[in-house]
Amino acid sequence: MAKILIVDDEINMLKSLEILFQQSPIYQVETASSGKEALEKFSLDTDIAIVDLALPDMDGITVLKWIKEIKEETEVIIMTAYSSIKTAIESVRSGAFDYITKPFEPDELLIAVEKALQLIELKRENKRLKETEISFPEIIGRSKEIKEVMNLINKASETDASVLIVGETGTGKELVARMIHFKSKRNSGPFIPVNCSALPETLMESEFFGYAKGAFTGAFQDRAGKLELAHGGTIFLDEIGEMPLSLQAKLLRVIEEKKIQRLGDLGWRETDFRLISATNKNLEKLMKEGKFRDDLYYRIKVIEIYIPTLRERREDIPLLIEHFLQKKKTELGIKQMEISQEAYSLLLSYDYPGNVRELQHIIESALLLSGGKIQKSHLSLTATDFKHFSSEDEEIPLKNGWKKIQEISRRLEYELLKNAIEKYPHLSNNEIAKLLGTTRRVLELRMKFYGITKKDKKS
């Protein structure tokens, strides 16, 4: 929701503008009839200020300058009944986004506000990009798997080709997309991320393509879609496998023709963006099932980058643990930090079904719970106790199927270890490890993980 402050000493005008913007649910409106009242009602969450030039206690330019001093990101639109080139120039030089002469049509003001909001969103996204670049200058890791990912990122950034990023949830697909954007010639343009799985199907088309005023109930003004906002930059379509077939056909047309048509609009608009897509699904399988267009698939998969799971690059886990410990230590203001050997061993042996994102959350939670001295009990692992599970045959669902397989695998591992310890209490850990076909170190790490102890342990 965008917050708008309207400042005008003409009460009828003030009320009319308040009603105009309150018709749309995306606006939250505050009004003021003087410069002093405007300063009192202005807040740091004000996105746009619409200010009359002639106020009873101070002129609108003074209010404009004051607003810009407090919050430079707020866009200000100046209204005046006395149009002059001198006033217009002074307004723009003082930081006004636009200058409108009274009387004006409501659409004129609505369009100006819409453009201001688009500019605000682009500025915010560029700021987020810079912050992300500082926080994550590189992907953490030195494994051969992650080096291959970095190699592909560098190659992809040298071209404008479409990229398909494939990997489980939490592996860092958006981070890879942002890195490609940063390293490419489009890095001065916007990076527009869209999570296809988070958008209701009924809103997808308007979000992607935008709409013209009157296109449907509630469309009170023109609005640009994500594909249009990405002009000159990159659009990142996360979980593209969730996109409905009807929208897939329209996206394909945009990719091929490089122009879009807003809902309810007769005209076409040129657009130039780089497309990066991501999925945790098997798109080839969806194609066979008729749920994903094969022509779109080959369009988005000019370059494919597979992001390995943490299970596939275990040698990177110590680096990631250290990275997140130091990062969260600074963010949380923790001066001293310790981690027990038992807790560290668990972090190294855990399978991380949620991948890097889960590791980050585990570290943050442990630091918060422990105050900086992390023990085994502070680790919020999703699979620390399997004593109540059985290994009966179960049907593996397609949705989150890999996670289910990992869960069953851990149940079986727990029962295997428990049975071996109970059946051969007289054997040493080294002997049991040889019997199971593993090493003593792995055996003891997994025993710690599941909380299994020997009653009569021999070394």
Side-chain angles (χ1 to χ4, degrees):
M1 182 175 286
K3 187 170 182 179
I4 298 177
L5 174 64
I6 305 172
V7 188
D8 199 317
D9 61 328
E10 295 180 33
I11 301 304
N12 290 337
M13 172 63 79
L14 197 63
K15 193 63 180 176
S16 297
L17 293 180
E18 182 180 16
I19 293 171
L20 175 66
F21 287 102
Q22 283 180 339
Q23 291 179 61
S24 173
I26 69 169
Y27 297 121
Q28 179 184 346
V29 184
E30 281 277 5
T31 61
S33 58
S34 67
K36 181 181 178 182
E37 188 180 2
L39 303 188
E40 291 173 351
K41 290 191 173 181
F42 178 81
S43 62
L44 291 177
D45 60 348
T46 300
D47 298 298
I48 296 174
I50 303 170
V51 183
D52 187 37
L53 186 64
L55 296 171
D57 53 349
M58 64 182 77
D59 63 81
I61 300 297
T62 302
V63 177
L64 161 64
K65 291 178 179 178
W66 185 89
I67 287 174
K68 285 294 184 180
E69 286 179 6
I70 299 298
K71 185 187 175 187
E72 187 178 355
E73 294 83 359
T74 298
E75 298 297 342
V76 181
I77 298 171
I78 294 292
M79 303 182 294
T80 180
Y82 308 99
S83 176
S84 72
I85 294 176
K86 181 181 177 181
T87 306
I89 291 173
E90 185 181 2
S91 299
V92 173
R93 282 180 176 174
S94 299
F97 173 79
D98 206 347
Y99 175 89
I100 295 179
T101 304
K102 296 179 180 179
F104 51 79
E105 293 295 324
D107 282 356
E108 186 180 352
L109 182 58
L110 289 171
I111 290 170
V113 168
E114 176 66 22
K115 288 181 178 178
L117 287 175
Q118 291 177 20
L119 178 62
I120 289 170
E121 182 57 35
L122 287 177
K123 286 181 177 179
R124 286 174 179 170
E125 180 56 34
N126 285 332
K127 183 180 179 182
R128 286 194 292 267
L129 281 173
K130 291 177 182 177
E131 290 172 350
T132 302
E133 187 174 29
I134 294 169
S135 301
F136 300 97
E138 290 292 341
I139 292 176
I140 306 299
R142 59 187 175 205
S143 63
K144 64 178 183 179
E145 291 84 2
I146 217 63
K147 286 179 180 177
E148 177 60 22
V149 171
M150 290 302 303
N151 181 45
L152 289 172
I153 288 173
N154 291 331
K155 288 182 178 179
S157 64
E158 295 172 358
T159 76
D160 222 16
S162 297
V163 179
L164 177 62
I165 304 171
V166 181
E168 288 186 11
T169 298
T171 50
K173 296 188 287 295
E174 183 170 342
L175 174 58
V176 169
R178 288 180 181 273
M179 289 187 69
I180 293 172
H181 174 77
F182 280 131
K183 291 174 175 286
S184 75
K185 62 184 179 182
R186 293 179 175 268
N187 57 12
S188 59
F191 178 89
I192 307 294
V194 183
N195 187 343
C196 298
S197 64
L199 284 174
E201 188 170 336
T202 53
L203 297 179
M204 270 193 177
E205 189 168 359
S206 61
E207 281 293 314
F208 274 92
F209 296 94
Y211 51 82
K213 178 183 176 182
F216 51 82
T217 303
F220 298 111
Q221 68 277 323
D222 293 345
R223 186 174 182 84
K226 302 295 187 184
L227 295 173
E228 191 174 339
L229 291 174
H231 180 76
T234 302
I235 188 164
F236 173 57
L237 303 183
D238 198 9
E239 304 306 343
I240 194 170
E242 301 289 345
M243 184 179 289
L245 283 169
S246 58
L247 194 59
Q248 291 178 30
K250 293 183 179 181
L251 174 62
L252 179 63
R253 184 174 182 179
V254 174
I255 295 171
E256 293 176 340
E257 300 182 0
K258 295 189 179 299
K259 58 184 181 180
I260 65 169
Q261 186 178 43
R262 293 181 180 179
L263 293 178
D265 196 356
L266 297 177
W268 291 85
R269 299 166 188 267
E270 298 292 329
T271 184
D272 173 33
F273 57 80
R274 202 259 181 86
L275 174 63
I276 301 179
S277 309
T279 183
N280 62 4
K281 293 189 173 183
N282 186 334
L283 294 186
E284 293 183 355
K285 186 173 184 296
L286 292 180
M287 285 163 50
K288 292 177 181 178
E289 296 172 352
K291 297 178 181 178
F292 201 87
R293 294 179 63 102
D294 55 354
D295 46 5
L296 177 60
Y297 174 72
Y298 295 116
R299 277 287 188 175
I300 66 175
K301 188 195 170 184
V302 178
I303 298 174
E304 182 178 49
I305 300 177
Y306 171 71
I307 313 298
T309 64
L310 267 187
R311 300 181 297 279
E312 295 172 295
R313 56 182 186 112
R314 284 193 172 277
E315 64 185 279
D316 292 333
I317 293 178
L319 294 174
L320 287 162
I321 291 173
E322 181 63 23
H323 171 73
F324 289 130
L325 281 173
Q326 294 302 326
K327 180 174 180 287
K328 294 301 176 182
K329 173 187 174 183
T330 302
E331 289 179 3
L332 299 173
I334 296 174
K335 295 181 179 180
Q336 291 186 331
M337 182 177 64
E338 297 176 10
I339 180 168
S340 71
Q341 185 59 47
E342 188 177 22
Y344 192 72
S345 296
L346 279 176
L347 288 172
L348 292 179
S349 61
Y350 184 54
D351 277 340
Y352 298 100
N355 293 292
V356 179
R357 187 182 300 151
E358 183 180 9
L359 172 57
Q360 182 177 0
H361 291 167
I362 288 170
I363 295 295
E364 183 174 14
S365 174
L367 284 172
L368 286 170
L369 291 172
S370 67
K373 297 183 178 180
I374 301 175
Q375 302 294 327
K376 173 186 174 181
S377 59
H378 298 130
L379 301 179
S380 55
L381 307 182
T382 59
T384 55
D385 184 5
F386 292 88
K387 296 180 178 62
H388 304 294
F389 290 106
S390 66
S391 59
E392 296 176 2
D393 292 339
E394 297 183 42
E395 182 181 353
I396 308 298
L398 290 178
K399 187 174 182 180
N400 297 321
W402 183 258
K403 186 175 181 180
K404 188 67 175 178
I405 289 173
Q406 295 300 308
E407 180 183 302
I408 294 173
S409 175
R410 293 192 195 97
R411 297 180 194 176
L412 293 172
E413 183 181 38
Y414 168 76
E415 291 182 3
L416 176 68
L417 293 174
K418 184 171 178 290
N419 291 337
I421 296 300
E422 290 178 352
K423 189 172 183 180
Y424 303 104
H426 57 287
L427 295 182
S428 67
N429 286 351
N430 192 46
E431 290 169 329
I432 292 176
K434 287 182 179 179
L435 177 69
L436 296 176
T438 187
T439 65
R440 174 177 173 171
R441 175 171 172 75
V442 170
L443 172 71
E444 291 180 346
L445 282 174
R446 302 312 284 172
M447 286 173 63
K448 283 183 179 180
F449 176 68
Y450 292 110
I452 298 174
T453 57
K454 291 176 66 177
K455 292 181 180 179
D456 182 23
K457 182 178 178 181
K458 296 181 181 180
S459 59

